Amino acid sequence: MPTLTIPNNQASVTEDEIKLSGILDDLIVPASELSQPEFNGIAVVPDPVTPYVQLSTIVEHLFNNNGLFTLTIQVPSVFSATNDGVEITPLTIGNENFYNLNPIKFSDADDIEFKSFENDDGAFNTTVAFTVTQDLGGGVTNPIDFGQINFTTDIESVPDNPVIQKINTPDGIPSTSSQVQYIGEFTIASTDASESLWFDVVGVPEGVDIYTLDENGEPEFKFAPVPTNNSGGIEKGSLTKSINAPAAANSPQTIRLGIVYNEITFPDDLDLAIRGRSLEGEIIDEVGLEAATAYSSVQPLNIKLSPTQVALDIPNDAAINENDSLTNLLTEVSITGDHSDYPDIGTPQNLSDLIDNLNTKNLPFTVEITPSNGAIKDQNGMTLPNTNGVYSIDERSPLNNLTVEIPDNGQVSIKVTVPDLSNTKTGGTNPVVFGEVSGGVDVLPVADKPTLNLTVNDDLTINPDDDNPLVEIGDYTIQPNDDETISLFVDAIPPNSSLIILDDDGETQATFTPTGNGFSTNLNADTFQGTLAVQFNDPPRDLEDFNLNLFATATEPGTNLTAFSDTFNLNIDLPDLIETGDNTETGDSNGTKQLLTYSPGKGAFTFENAKGAILGQELLDDGDGGLTEVGFVITDGNPQDIITNSKAVFSVLPDSTIIGNQERLTELTQDTGNIHFFKVNGGSIDDLIDGRISSDTVDFNLEVTATDSAYILKWADGLEIGIGLNDKGQSPLALFQGQHEGEILTNQSNEAINVGFSIKSWADYENTVGLFAVNDETGAVTDPLTGETILPGENGYTQIVLSHNLLFEGEAGESGTVALAPSTIYMPFIVADGSVSDGLEGEAQVYFSAIAANSDNFDHVRLLGDNIFAFEDLHGGGDMDFNDIIIEFV
C-alpha cells in the first residue's frame, strides 16, 4: 500500500495562513507506489524527475476527476476549521477535533483554513489519514488505505503590514537641476517594534537618485537599488532604504525625500510610488529581503516638474528716489538668468518689464516685497495691508499709484510668482516661483515740486501782412526752490516756428530747443517770469486748434533727480494768416505775391518763397484707360537724371468712375525749385526706381493750360489732371504717401486717431485686406520672442505681422472705424482669395506694399489718392487692373 511520509521530517505553515493546502503540501507519497495496477484511472502521472507526489496533488486530481476519497484531519481542539469562511463542524473526542472530508464537503484545499483560539507556541500536532475508494464495477468498490501519519507542524511568524501615509508633497520642482530637490514627506509605522522596517521608492528612472533629507533639507542617506530576483516581488526600477525601527509599536517615523537628476529629459509628470516593508527574523542579504515580508499599501507620488527659477539681480548701483513709485523699484531689479522655460513672457530686462508683459497678456502674478524697516503705501499715503512686513502685489494692484518708503541703502527682498506658462511642467497654469532676490537699494533725495502759474491771452491777434508774425500765448511766473535747476518744457510747437520767452520790453530772453520728446529751456533769475510767444519763420496758411502741454521741472544739482510742476494743456486757435483770394494760383498775380508760375520754355512749374505751401493735384480725365501712375520731381536740372527722387501723385485706373474724384494734397519741402510732372505707362514709379521697368515708360510730354484757379496738365493720350495751391493742409495720415513704397498710414501725434474706412471690390476672389503696425517706413517689424528686427522678405515676416502686429482686417462691403495708435506707422496688406488664417497657414498668398515681402516681387498696392489704396490680387500682376479691392481711410 502507498504510505504517507514527510520529507526530512519538516512541516511548516505561516501564522497568518494555516491552510489545508499547506498541510497537504508537506505530505508525500513515493511515486513508485502509485504505479501499481489498482491505481489505474486514478493515479497521478508522477514527475519523472521527482521521486514522490504531494498529497495535495493527489487530492486535487481525484476531486477534478470525480474520484472517491476520505481525508481525516486530526488537530488539537483549540483549532477550528472553515471552508471558504463557513465553519466546519468537527467530531470532538477529548482534546482533539476530527474533520472527515470527502468530495462532497471538499472544494479547494486553499479554502479550508485552521485557526487557533489560543496563542500558539510555534507548533501544533496533526494526524492525517487518507483512503481512496476504487470502483471495480457492478457496484463493487475496493478501499485503498494510504494509512495515517502523525507529525508536528511548525508555525512560522509573519511580519505585520506597516502603515505608510503621505503628509505633504510640493506642487512642482524645477525641471533642470543637479541639486537635491524636496519631493515629499511620509510617515511609516509598524505594530511590532521587533520587526525591521524598510522604505521603497518604486518606478525610479535610470540616472535618478533618491535621498532621505534632514530637517534642514540636506541629504542624509542615499537609497540603494533593489535586486529584481528576490522573493519580495519588488518591481524593477525600485530603490530601497532601511530605516531605524521605532522606539515602540505604532510610533510613526517621518521620512523626508529628495530627488537628484542630471541631463535627463522627463515626461510632463514623473510617476513614482512609495511603499513600506516589514521584515521578521534574520536579515538574509544586504537589502534585507527574505520570504517573511509584509508590505504597506502603496502611496502614489506624482512629481510635477516646474520651470527653473530665473536669476534676478539687484545691482550695487540700484537706486530709487524718496517715496518713489513701486514701478521704479521693480525697474531696478534686473532679470539676468535664462528664462527659456517661460516662452510667453517676451524679453523683459527687469521686473517692471515682466509685469507689463504679463498685464498685456492678462496673466496673473504675485510679487511679494519685503522692504526692511520700510513700507509700501497707496496714493493716499496709507500703508498697504501686509503680513509681518511682507507686501503682496498682484495684477489687480495699480503699481504706478504705489510708493515705496525705505531707509537709505535699505534691504529689499522680492519673490515673484507667475503661472507655469510652459503649460507642460506642472500640467497647466499652476503658480510657480519665477525668481527670488534680496539686496540693498540706495535712496536718493527728491527735488521739490516747482510752482508754475500761467495766464493765457484770450485774444490772439496776428498781422497777416507780417512775414514773420509773433503770437504771444500768455504770461507765466515760476517759484524756484533752493538751488535746483528750473526748466520749462513743451511737448510740441507749431511747424516752421520757434517758441521763445519775452521780457517786459518784448525782447527775446530765451528760446526753446529740441530735447527728448519735446522742447525745453533752462531758466534763471531773469526768466523766472516772462511771456511765452510763438515766432513764425514764414506765414503759415492755416493753423487751427494747435495743442501743446507746458510744465516746469526742478532738478537737484549734480543729479538727474527731477520734480515736475502741474501741466497746462493749451489749445491755441490761430486765425488764417493768408486770407482766401490773396494768392493767385495761375501766376497772373496782379501785384500779389507770386507763389506758383509755369515756364513753357523749361516745361516746369516754379514756386518761390512758398516753403510749406500745399500743392493740390486732381484727376480730371483718365484718358484712354491704360494703367498709369502720375508723379512729379523737383529739380533745376534734367528731370531724366533724377528720376529716383520722384514722388508719386496717384495711379490712374482704367475706369476713373470706380472711386469717383481722385485728389492728392502734397506739401512742398523746398524754398524754391522747378516742378516737373510726368506719367509712367504700364507700371509704377516704384517699378521705375527699382529697375523693374525702363525709363522708356516715362512721359514728360504734356500741354499746360491756365485757368483762374488752377493749371490743367494734359498728355497726348487724353489724361488730364489739375494742379494748384490749396489751403486745406496735407492729411496727417499721408506723411509718407508718394515716397518710394509709400502706401502707408501714419499717426505722428501723441494721441490716438480714429479714422473711418470703407472697402469696395470688383473681383471674383474673396479677398481680405487690412493694416498692420511697423517700426518705420521701411516696413521693418520686431520679433516679439527674440527682439530682433525683421525686414520685409526675411524669414518669419508674414507670421509676425499677421500674428502680432495686426490692427484690423476686413472684406469687400465692410466699413467702420479703427483707432491708429500714437506715433505709429501702418502698412496695408491683402490676402488673395482667403482669410488671415489662410495666409498664416500658407493656404493663400499674402501681398504687401513693401515689395520685398511679396513672393512674386510685384508691386501689388497703388495709391489712388490721399489714404486710398488699390490692390491687385493675382500672382505676378495678372490683368493689372488694380480694382480687385480698394480701401479708403477718412
Side-chain angles (χ1 to χ4, degrees), residues 501-801:
I501 295 175
L502 304 177
D503 61 15
D504 293 340
D505 297 327
E507 298 296 327
T508 300
Q509 296 297 306
T511 301
F512 285 73
T513 58
T515 175
N517 295 322
F519 303 82
S520 69
T521 184
N522 292 336
L523 304 184
N524 53 39
D526 294 332
T527 53
F528 285 150
Q529 65 180 16
T531 300
L532 288 177
V534 176
Q535 178 74 65
F536 289 97
N537 301 325
D538 281 320
R541 299 185 60 77
D542 190 18
L543 188 61
E544 296 182 358
D545 295 333
F546 181 77
N547 288 279
L548 63 82
N549 292 301
L550 171 72
F551 57 88
T553 62
T555 305
E556 281 286 325
T559 75
N560 60 355
L561 304 176
T562 301
F564 299 87
S565 72
D566 295 333
T567 299
F568 289 87
N569 178 259
L570 304 180
N571 185 0
I572 304 172
D573 186 3
L574 296 179
D576 290 343
L577 296 181
I578 300 179
E579 297 178 358
T580 304
D582 282 351
N583 172 46
T584 303
E585 298 174 342
T586 63
D588 187 10
S589 62
N590 295 321
T592 61
K593 183 177 296 184
Q594 196 172 48
L595 297 179
L596 185 65
T597 59
Y598 177 66
S599 303
K602 294 183 179 180
F605 292 87
T606 302
F607 59 98
E608 298 175 355
N609 302 321
K611 183 176 181 181
I614 303 299
L615 180 68
Q617 305 103 5
E618 182 179 0
L619 176 67
L620 302 177
D621 194 321
D622 64 351
D624 63 7
L627 179 64
T628 300
E629 185 160 71
V630 176
F632 69 88
V633 61
I634 300 175
T635 176
D636 289 325
N638 185 345
Q640 293 279 3
D641 296 335
I642 54 172
I643 209 68
T644 55
N645 293 326
S646 302
K647 291 188 177 181
V649 175
F650 43 53
S651 288
V652 182
L653 301 188
D655 183 358
S656 63
T657 61
I658 290 177
I659 63 169
N661 183 46
Q662 290 179 238
E663 183 179 79
R664 282 268 285 123
L665 298 173
T666 306
E667 185 173 10
L668 302 181
T669 57
Q670 295 178 216
D671 290 332
T672 61
N674 295 326
I675 308 174
H676 295 262
F677 283 87
F678 62 90
K679 69 183 181 74
V680 177
N681 299 318
S684 67
I685 295 176
D686 287 345
D687 292 332
L688 183 67
I689 293 174
D690 294 338
R692 288 184 292 273
I693 60 176
S694 70
S695 59
D696 295 339
T697 62
V698 179
D699 186 356
F700 283 96
N701 298 315
L702 53 88
E703 294 181 359
V704 179
T705 303
T707 69
D708 291 339
S709 60
Y711 288 103
I712 307 301
L713 281 60
K714 183 175 182 180
W715 279 265
D717 61 1
L719 174 65
E720 292 184 14
I721 67 171
I723 66 170
L725 294 181
N726 193 303
D727 61 2
K728 291 183 179 180
Q730 186 180 25
S731 167
L733 308 181
L735 179 64
F736 297 106
Q737 292 175 19
Q739 298 182 14
H740 181 244
E741 298 181 356
E743 293 84 9
I744 296 173
L745 285 187
T746 179
N747 177 10
Q748 294 297 305
S749 70
N750 295 324
E751 298 179 354
I753 297 177
N754 292 324
V755 298
F757 70 89
S758 61
I759 305 174
K760 301 176 183 179
S761 177
W762 290 263
D764 295 331
Y765 278 0
E766 294 182 0
N767 299 312
T768 300
V769 293
L771 294 178
F772 61 93
V774 295
N775 297 350
D776 52 38
E777 65 270 25
T778 68
V781 295
T782 300
D783 189 325
L785 297 181
T786 65
E788 296 180 354
T789 298
I790 306 299
L791 296 176
E794 292 185 345
N795 187 36
Y797 184 81
T798 300
Q799 296 292 323
I800 292 172
V801 300

Side-chain angles (χ1 to χ4, degrees), residues 417-436:
T417 301
V418 301
D420 179 3
L421 302 178
S422 65
N423 210 25
T424 58
K425 302 295 185 183
T426 59
T429 55
N430 296 333
V432 295
V433 177
F434 178 83
E436 298 180 78

